[in-house]
Amino acid sequence: MNTDKLSARLATVASYVSEGLRIADIGSDHAYLPCHLVKKGVVPFAIAGEVAEGPYQSARKQVRLEGLSEQIIVRKGDGLEVVQPGEVDCITIAGMGGALIANILEAGKDKLKNVKKLVLQPNVGASAIREWLIENNWKLTAENILKEDGKIYEVLVAEIGNPEEPYGNRHELEILFGPYLLKEKNEAFKEKWGLEKQNWERILNQLEKADLNEATQSKKTEVIEKIKMAEEVLS
Ligand code: SAM
């Protein structure tokens, strides 16, 4: 992968960034995504944010190497603290767990006031993001799921709007599997949830051997519910 040819995962994230938007890429690591989008002329300006020193230095080096220091500012900081209110129109956060992405959005809410679009790529736990979007009046406008190098990734896109609009009357199911992904059920989707189901069945098997107390009983109920939902979705 380089900034001319992104991985399929990052290329999918990039494909949802609309032309002309100023972006902040949080957890940018090598700043491949902002470098690519600026080089291709998709975005005029980007902030690459990084909390860790090593990746922060890698991003600085990459931006310098590409001669993009005029258009890309690399800042070190936790989540959205690297962004000033009104500075960008779109936030991208890729390659982290869904719970961490939701925490970053929650902690930086005040920075989202003028933001028009969120493009989020959780490696796991996308449901935490769907829940956060609903609670915070962001409408999920697109979803994608893809497999690359043996791993399956989801991409979630949100814009300001009616957060309930993409959802029907099966809220719990749609939050877990994704309202758009559920309609399409592509190969990556089926593979991901087939594997998750196997994993839940293994957990259930272990729980059945464990002492039955309140905690194990409640976990068991939760796992059985998930297995049922996966069976329904995959049938
Ligand atoms: N976004 C790139 C991608 O998708 O290829 C890099 C993903 S890398 C696995 C995750 C990066 O997020 C790491 O470089 C890590 O330092 C950074 N990170 C984790 N938590 C962060 C936070 N709260 N704020 C900023 N960066 C964070």
Side-chain angles (χ1 to χ4, degrees):
M1 178 170 68
N2 56 47
T3 61
D4 290 318
K5 176 129 184 57
L6 294 177
S7 63
R9 173 183 64 84
L10 277 183
T12 305
V13 173
S15 73
Y16 290 105
V17 176
S18 320
E19 221 173 303
L21 296 185
R22 297 165 301 163
I23 66 159
D25 182 42
I26 305 302
S28 202
D29 199 354
H30 288 79
Y32 286 145
L33 181 65
C35 285
H36 175 85
L37 288 167
V38 168
K39 271 167 74 176
K40 296 278 169 199
V42 178
V43 307
F45 168 78
I47 294 168
E50 249 301 334
V51 75
E53 181 63 21
Y56 165 70
Q57 291 301 343
S58 304
R60 276 168 49 106
K61 190 171 161 198
Q62 189 67 35
V63 169
R64 244 195 339 262
L65 258 172
E66 304 259 8
L68 297 173
S69 306
E70 294 274 300
Q71 295 110 305
I72 303 176
I73 307 177
V74 183
R75 291 185 187 149
K76 191 170 169 198
D78 186 356
L80 295 175
E81 77 178 22
V82 298
V83 181
Q84 295 304 313
E87 210 174 16
V88 297
D89 315 295
C90 173
I91 307 275
T92 58
I93 313 180
M96 301 177 203
L100 177 55
I101 293 177
N103 284 343
I104 288 175
L105 294 170
E106 180 63 25
K109 262 184 189 174
D110 55 324
K111 307 295 178 63
L112 295 175
K113 288 203 179 88
N114 298 303
V115 170
K116 299 184 180 83
K117 197 168 194 181
L118 304 173
V119 185
L120 310 167
Q121 185 272 298
N123 291 341
V124 292
S127 59
I129 298 179
R130 294 190 189 99
E131 279 166 358
W132 185 91
L133 294 172
I134 291 179
E135 280 159 21
N136 292 279
N137 283 319
W138 284 88
K139 178 182 159 191
L140 189 65
T141 53
E143 291 176 312
N144 206 319
I145 185 163
L146 71 145
K147 185 173 178 183
E148 181 175 49
D149 296 337
K151 291 193 186 130
I152 298 174
Y153 304 101
E154 288 178 53
V155 179
L156 275 57
V157 185
E159 289 167 59
I160 291 288
N162 177 1
E164 294 294 341
E165 211 177 291
Y167 296 94
N169 55 5
R170 302 291 309 278
H171 233 250
E172 200 186 343
L173 189 102
E174 291 167 300
I175 290 282
L176 184 60
F177 297 95
Y180 300 100
L181 301 179
L182 263 173
K183 284 193 185 115
E184 194 190 345
K185 290 189 194 174
N186 71 9
E187 283 311 308
F189 176 95
K190 288 185 210 153
E191 186 176 342
K192 175 184 168 80
W193 294 109
L195 291 168
E196 291 283 358
K197 182 169 158 283
Q198 281 174 19
N199 190 36
W200 291 329
E201 283 164 347
R202 259 195 305 274
I203 295 171
L204 182 60
N205 202 13
Q206 280 161 6
L207 286 169
E208 267 158 0
K209 290 179 201 147
D211 290 341
L212 207 60
N213 56 36
E214 212 177 305
T216 50
Q217 184 56 51
S218 136
K219 181 76 189 157
K220 218 173 126 178
T221 309
E222 182 196 322
V223 173
I224 290 171
E225 191 50 40
K226 282 183 171 164
I227 293 170
K228 275 195 206 145
M229 286 197 282
E231 276 166 356
E232 178 185 340
V233 160
L234 296 172
S235 65

